[in-house]
Amino acid sequence: MTGTDRIGTDRIGTTTGTTTAGPGGDRSAAERLRDHVATRLTRARERSALLTGAVDDHDLVRQHSRLMSPLVWDLAHIGNQEELWLVRDVGGREPVRADIDELYDAFKHARSSRPELPLLGPAEARRYVAEVREKVLDVLERTPLEGRRLLDGGFAFGMVVQHEQQHGETMLATHQLRVGDPVLDAPPPPRGGPVGPAEVLVPGGPFTMGTSTEAWALDNERPAHQVVTDPFFIDTTPVTNGAYLEFIADGGYADPRWWSEAGWAHVREAGLVAPRSWQRQGDRWHRTAFGVTAPLDPDQPVVHVCFHEAEAYARWAGKRLPTEVEWEKAARFDPATGRSRRYPWGDEEPTARHANLGQRHLSPAPVGAYPAGASPLGVHQLIGDVWEWTSSDFRGYAGFEVFPYAEYSQVFFGPDHRVLRGGSFGTDPAAVRATFRNWDYPIRRQIFAGFRCARDAGRDEST
């Protein structure tokens, strides 16, 4: 299918999986969980179908960037992972296509080389994922969602949902790198509003980081543990395009004072002069997003910057990037109770009032657009809009335990990857929460990443 596909709130937006009582009274917890899982599986597949159905077969098999896989690889990989975990492992069924396991093993083939593989074609890939999903829904109906760690709370199904939604965001990033007429459409995000002071003080002291209770939390989010921080200030909002323009206008990309050694080497080697997808037209900067070029909105968070750019801006501004401990404390800590919330606004699932998530819009929203999503301390847009770079290397927490496989998290631990937090406009609610941890190389810019700044609190500022 070609042409423009509208991304509607109802189809791609938040659903909770909540069920109502039937004629016989309240449904069992197991039935409600199955309905919730089925709803999340369906929503993820609708998104995958939209992102692969918006372009013709030629675009599906093309590699739009060496940083990304062909869209058809992502689609079949989604089905293969679902088959491995839910059809074969959970369901104990015979393989659907054991012959393609190696083709869709992300660790055996770099993205740059995947177009050279004998991949399933678009029609065959669609038939394959449909057959796998039919078997998975039968497994879901027949499997008790308890009695085994992989099944408790529907974890294996939740892991597969999150995997497909993560690839949905990856495919959305591929669409952003695609050259050609626009094929995706969505309404603009809501307008911005007042946000209060430019920064807020986060008090020092202990708070609970991570989780041991979130049913679908992944291994790198676990276990819950107490961390003590010094008081610090954090920006009320992500850094905006308008603020970042000041860094550019002040010669930030040409001044080695603001860059780390690695950052300065990268900016010179890559020839960076502005965030990805920015172009100067006369005396104005424009940004191209999903095939549409328009003047920069100065109030939107800057997006498509790498860690080095974020770090350089923060240093130029007389600040620094927050650690991920600081980011999570700003996002979860409730000073009135001392407890850690699931989200900045509380424990309820995200809705369109709280955050720019779920591909409802195709850009970050102006700052102040989601006052209902602010934290108790008054920090805005910690969830959604842009992933936020932190200064932290990606490592396991004390007490980390691999589950269910090392290749999800553990193999990426170490100084090569920096942690990002909070999700973007392209992140589904099922694949983000205030404990969720993302990571990438510090030079990556194709992801929907921005940042906010932090600074230490002086002795006379900490109360």
Side-chain angles (χ1 to χ4, degrees):
M1 180 172 62
T2 59
T4 298
D5 288 286
R6 190 164 191 80
I7 301 177
T9 301
D10 291 339
R11 195 145 78 89
I12 301 296
T14 303
T15 55
T16 63
T18 302
T19 60
T20 56
D26 291 339
R27 306 186 70 198
S28 71
E31 289 174 315
R32 292 196 301 273
L33 179 55
R34 284 193 175 87
D35 283 350
H36 177 70
V37 167
T39 298
R40 292 293 179 105
L41 285 167
T42 298
R43 188 177 68 202
R45 186 52 46 84
E46 286 176 346
R47 185 186 189 190
S48 298
L50 186 149
L51 290 167
T52 54
V55 294
D56 60 22
D57 285 0
H58 175 68
D59 264 2
L60 279 178
V61 301
R62 281 184 59 202
Q63 186 172 48
H64 297 279
S65 165
R66 288 178 63 81
L67 294 173
M68 313 301 283
S69 307
L71 291 167
V72 74
W73 186 92
D74 284 292
L75 180 63
H77 170 76
I78 286 165
N80 184 246
Q81 289 296 296
E82 190 168 324
E83 180 191 351
L84 289 171
W85 287 104
L86 300 184
V87 176
R88 300 187 203 173
D89 191 315
V90 172
R93 310 286 180 89
E94 290 296 314
V96 178
R97 290 290 304 267
D99 59 307
I100 64 173
D101 289 353
E102 184 173 340
L103 288 177
Y104 296 101
D105 186 330
F107 286 88
K108 292 189 176 179
H109 305 285
R111 287 180 177 180
S112 60
S113 66
R114 288 171 189 171
E116 304 162 10
L117 300 172
L119 304 176
L120 301 184
E124 192 175 9
R126 289 185 174 110
R127 286 194 297 270
Y128 170 62
V129 299
E131 182 179 357
V132 169
R133 177 53 58 87
E134 183 179 6
K135 293 180 182 297
V136 163
L137 292 177
D138 186 62
V139 169
L140 177 61
E141 285 299 311
R142 298 171 184 270
T143 302
L145 301 181
E146 59 183 0
R148 179 183 171 198
R149 187 177 175 189
L150 198 63
L151 296 177
D152 289 345
F155 175 82
F157 294 91
M159 179 179 68
V160 165
V161 165
Q162 291 175 91
H163 176 262
E164 181 161 2
Q165 290 289 12
Q166 287 165 348
H167 274 271
E169 184 166 358
T170 298
M171 289 191 286
L172 188 65
T174 300
H175 272 274
Q176 167 68 342
L177 296 170
R178 173 185 170 273
V179 176
D181 293 334
V183 295
L184 298 176
D185 185 34
R191 295 179 180 178
V195 294
E199 60 184 6
V200 299
L201 175 67
V202 180
F207 90 105
T208 300
M209 185 175 184
T211 180
S212 296
T213 58
E214 191 77 28
W216 289 3
L218 302 166
D219 59 3
N220 63 65
E221 300 171 67
R222 302 172 181 271
H225 56 288
Q226 192 173 84
V227 180
V228 177
T229 70
D230 293 328
F232 63 94
F233 282 91
I234 194 164
D235 287 357
T236 304
T237 70
V239 171
T240 63
N241 290 327
Y244 201 85
L245 277 170
E246 296 179 24
F247 171 65
I248 294 175
D250 196 41
Y253 279 88
D255 192 335
R257 288 181 298 165
W258 314 128
W259 302 82
S260 67
E261 183 177 349
W264 184 240
H266 176 66
V267 77
R268 295 177 70 190
E269 179 182 357
L272 304 185
V273 296
R276 188 177 190 125
S277 303
W278 284 28
Q279 309 96 37
R280 190 193 291 273
Q281 298 183 10
D283 61 351
R284 299 188 66 185
W285 283 93
H286 290 63
R287 176 174 171 259
T288 300
F290 303 101
V292 177
T293 301
L296 280 178
D297 182 338
D299 295 325
Q300 287 184 352
V302 64
V303 65
H304 294 306
V305 291
C306 70
F307 168 83
H308 295 308
E309 291 168 292
E311 184 182 50
Y313 174 95
R315 192 172 289 133
W316 169 82
K319 298 185 178 183
R320 57 177 173 78
L321 295 180
T323 67
E324 72 161 322
V325 173
E326 290 171 333
W327 189 97
E328 187 170 324
K329 185 169 186 179
R332 300 184 65 199
F333 181 68
D334 183 349
T337 63
R339 66 179 290 266
S340 291
R341 301 172 164 198
R342 294 180 71 207
Y343 299 97
W345 55 84
D347 294 337
E348 64 180 292
E349 295 284 333
T351 71
R353 293 177 56 249
H354 295 118
N356 183 8
L357 292 166
Q359 205 175 308
R360 288 190 299 267
H361 313 292
L362 289 175
S363 71
V367 294
Y370 295 94
S375 75
L377 292 169
V379 188
H380 289 249
Q381 288 160 273
L382 286 153
I383 300 294
D385 287 303
V386 291
W387 288 102
E388 299 185 16
W389 288 106
T390 74
S391 63
S392 299
D393 296 341
F394 183 48
R395 301 185 185 278
Y397 297 147
F400 169 82
E401 180 183 353
V402 169
F403 179 76
Y405 63 112
E407 289 77 11
Y408 180 74
S409 296
Q410 190 180 53
V411 296
F412 298 101
F413 289 167
D416 291 342
H417 297 88
R418 292 291 194 278
V419 174
L420 301 103
R421 290 300 204 105
S424 76
F425 64 89
T427 307
D428 187 81
V432 72
R433 48 202 157 259
T435 59
F436 191 92
R437 307 171 75 197
N438 193 4
W439 63 94
D440 214 327
Y441 292 110
I443 65 171
R444 288 289 186 250
R445 302 209 303 170
Q446 84 278 12
I447 57 177
F448 303 116
F451 64 101
R452 74 180 71 215
C453 300
R455 67 179 178 89
D456 298 342
R459 184 173 299 177
D460 58 344
E461 297 178 299
S462 60
T463 56

